[in-house]
Amino acid sequence: WPFRGAVILTERHHELRRDAQGRLHGEQSAAVRYPDGWSLYAWHGVRVAETVILHPGTISVAQIQAEANVELRRVLLERYGFERYLSDSGALPIHANARGTLYRQELSGDEPLVMVRVTNSTPEPDGHRKDYTLRVPPTITTVDEALGWGFNLPARKYQPVIET
């Protein structure tokens, strides 16, 4: 790699993984690995500890809440699972109606995590209806506002006649 006043020479990597945007990303292994064994772990361009990729089951709510780096906290949340985090962290429901439930969880040094949980109106092949949890902006305060936001509509205009 040429720089002004210096050049870095290195052996070519043995493995290289990237996401669709070209960022270093390894879902189940190192994003970069060299023949001598040195490797780097990354999640959508954010460098992380090996355990975040190889052992995501070891991530805890306490670890997520104690993480000061906002980007790394986002990765930990993704790997832990937003829906699981809502349940395990004690996130509070702030609004509910027939369409779903809106949850809010404060995050130290960051914007609150606000998510809406809804049930798909279309049954799965086995007949059950799948729940979805979607992250929404922290300014949202009602389920209808959250659902409307997903369609770029104000809450008052989100009035589906039929859901499929």
Side-chain angles (χ1 to χ4, degrees):
W1 300 305
F3 294 96
R4 180 168 290 182
V7 174
I8 297 175
L9 298 173
T10 179
E11 190 171 0
R12 221 169 143 68
H13 55 268
H14 180 66
E15 298 174 32
L16 177 65
R17 292 178 179 78
R18 297 179 185 258
D19 65 11
Q21 286 78 40
R23 301 171 296 191
L24 291 176
H25 179 71
E27 290 191 23
Q28 298 175 353
S29 62
V32 178
R33 187 179 316 274
Y34 284 83
D36 68 356
W38 187 89
S39 55
L40 182 140
Y41 292 82
W43 185 262
H44 297 292
V46 177
R47 188 172 180 177
V48 298
E50 176 182 336
T51 56
V52 173
I53 302 299
L54 298 183
H55 307 289
T58 64
I59 298 169
S60 69
V61 168
Q63 178 185 1
I64 293 167
Q65 292 175 340
E67 180 53 56
N69 181 300
V70 175
E71 284 186 318
L72 188 49
R73 185 185 303 145
R74 177 189 52 80
V75 173
L76 294 172
L77 278 165
E78 285 182 34
R79 297 295 285 164
Y80 191 83
F82 287 108
E83 189 161 335
R84 181 176 163 215
Y85 181 79
L86 284 179
S87 174
D88 295 353
S89 70
L92 300 173
I94 59 171
H95 183 254
N97 64 20
R99 292 191 173 134
T101 304
L102 188 68
Y103 293 88
R104 181 182 181 98
Q105 177 66 17
E106 299 298 323
L107 295 171
S108 176
D110 196 3
E111 67 181 22
L113 177 66
V114 179
M115 302 191 79
V116 63
R117 181 178 290 151
V118 295
T119 301
N120 191 351
S121 59
T122 304
E124 298 295 314
D126 66 2
H128 88 281
R129 294 182 187 270
K130 188 173 180 180
D131 287 337
Y132 289 94
T133 304
L134 312 166
R135 189 168 187 178
V136 297
T139 55
I140 289 180
T141 58
T142 69
V143 171
D144 289 341
E145 188 180 2
L147 296 175
W149 175 84
F151 292 97
N152 202 24
L153 294 170
R156 71 183 188 288
K157 288 193 174 185
Y158 180 76
Q159 300 297 325
V161 176
I162 298 173
E163 294 181 302
T164 62

